[in-house]
Amino acid sequence: MAEKKAGKGLSQRQKQIVEMVRQQGFAAVEALAQNFDVTPQTIRRDINELCSQGLVRRFHGGVGLSSSVENVAYETRKVLLLEEKQRIARQVAGQIPDRASVFIDIGTSTEEVARALRDHEGLRVITNDLNVATILSGNPTCEVIIAGGVVRHRYRGITGEATIDFIRQFKVDFGILGISAIDSDGTLLEFDYHEVRVAQAIIENSRKVFLTADHTKFGRNALVRLGHLSQIDALFTDRQPPEEIAGSLAEHNVALYVAEAGLRSQ
């Protein structure tokens, strides 16, 4: 009976908000207010109603899908918050020196980091993302090493036991990871168990671990536990994290880099 009532009594604007979230995976409060020409307070009231019916889930700065078991489609994630991901990527690249060894994991955020690293000299990059390999292969001074394993056709990532075994052969200067969600207690969460095991191997075999996460990942829900903020050395994001997450960063001496709008380099 509860499922039949979900969506009942919604205004036209609220129905459109649900549809936008389903298509895009996430919508910021400010963007929704501009789109519908109403105040942010009005949008927040709409979001409260939609959350009460279980149709969407509130995240830091906006609203997203309510599911904890299914991520947004790769093609949508590629363009979602692209400008923010590019700012974050430039700041990560600013912390990577020339002639460093780097793990780069699967993800749309890490692919932007690869683009930001294209002008670096003498990098040795190990990746399980065919898109990352393609991006960096155009730099003749960069050696790209691709992990073996099973190719995930949706987004050209490589996972599996062979991938994990391959990664464990190396000890690199920097491991660069993306993440689907950061819980308020600092837990790092993902949707895919196979991807999590690869990311854990990268953490274990990197001298420094850099985590990229735009602000929509704060407080989001996902099914699989990857680890904890205490296991990384620096978090790169585009907005100040919520108080609980900021407290966890400070408690574990994790550096915080916030790539604010208009920032071109670090």
Side-chain angles (χ1 to χ4, degrees):
M1 292 293 291
E3 288 185 4
K4 292 182 180 179
K5 291 181 180 179
K8 206 174 176 185
L10 297 183
S11 69
Q12 187 61 33
R13 184 179 61 244
Q14 289 169 343
K15 291 176 182 177
Q16 289 177 313
I17 290 172
V18 172
E19 185 58 30
M20 288 175 67
V21 170
R22 284 175 178 167
Q23 291 178 358
Q24 301 174 13
F26 178 85
V29 169
E30 295 89 344
L32 289 170
Q34 291 177 6
N35 183 74
F36 293 106
D37 194 23
V38 296
T39 65
Q41 290 76 14
T42 297
I43 293 297
R44 290 189 182 96
R45 285 195 291 271
D46 287 336
I47 290 172
N48 287 339
E49 174 61 27
L50 297 173
C51 288
S52 71
Q53 297 201 33
L55 297 171
V56 297
R57 179 178 170 87
R58 185 185 295 103
F59 299 109
H60 189 62
V63 61
L65 298 173
S66 59
S67 176
S68 66
V69 299
E70 184 177 5
N71 202 0
V72 180
Y74 173 77
E75 292 301 324
T76 300
R77 285 186 281 129
K78 265 178 64 175
V79 297
L80 191 64
L81 297 173
L82 180 58
E83 181 182 340
E84 289 84 348
K85 290 175 182 176
Q86 289 171 340
R87 293 204 309 266
I88 293 168
R90 288 193 294 268
Q91 200 159 55
V92 173
Q95 298 300 313
I96 304 292
D98 290 338
R99 290 170 288 281
S101 56
V102 186
F103 280 133
I104 302 182
D105 194 22
I106 296 170
T108 57
S109 294
T110 52
E111 287 171 15
E112 291 305 321
V113 174
R115 289 187 177 91
L117 288 170
R118 281 182 296 191
D119 293 331
H120 275 51
E121 294 286 331
L123 293 180
R124 180 166 292 185
V125 175
I126 303 158
T127 185
N128 60 322
D129 188 319
L130 293 177
N131 296 318
V132 167
T134 300
I135 291 164
L136 288 171
S137 61
N139 181 340
T141 75
C142 179
E143 181 178 74
V144 181
I145 305 170
I146 302 176
V150 179
V151 177
R152 313 296 290 273
H153 296 290
R154 287 176 299 157
Y155 47 86
R156 305 181 76 199
I158 303 171
T159 63
E161 291 297 329
T163 315
I164 296 167
D165 290 341
F166 183 83
I167 287 171
R168 286 175 175 161
Q169 296 180 74
F170 301 91
K171 186 74 172 183
V172 304
D173 299 323
F174 300 95
I176 301 174
L177 304 173
I179 196 68
S180 291
I182 304 177
D183 206 351
S184 58
D185 65 358
T187 302
L188 306 178
L189 299 168
E190 274 293 352
F191 291 93
D192 190 303
Y193 171 74
H194 302 287
E195 292 179 17
V196 160
R197 294 196 62 213
V198 174
Q200 288 169 339
I202 289 175
I203 290 173
E204 292 165 5
N205 294 281
S206 300
R207 295 182 180 91
K208 286 190 175 182
V209 179
F210 289 172
L211 182 68
T212 65
D214 65 71
H215 66 274
T216 67
K217 309 302 172 61
F218 299 141
R220 191 182 181 199
N221 194 17
L223 180 66
V224 187
R225 184 190 298 268
L226 188 156
H228 191 270
L229 284 173
S230 59
Q231 295 174 270
I232 69 169
D233 295 281
L235 171 65
F236 294 79
T237 186
D238 62 307
R239 294 188 191 176
Q240 287 290 336
E243 186 175 340
E244 285 182 302
I245 292 176
S248 185
L249 293 170
E251 178 184 355
H252 298 288
N253 297 313
V254 179
L256 173 63
Y257 294 84
V258 180
E260 297 176 355
L263 182 65
R264 299 300 301 178
S265 62
Q266 172 76 7

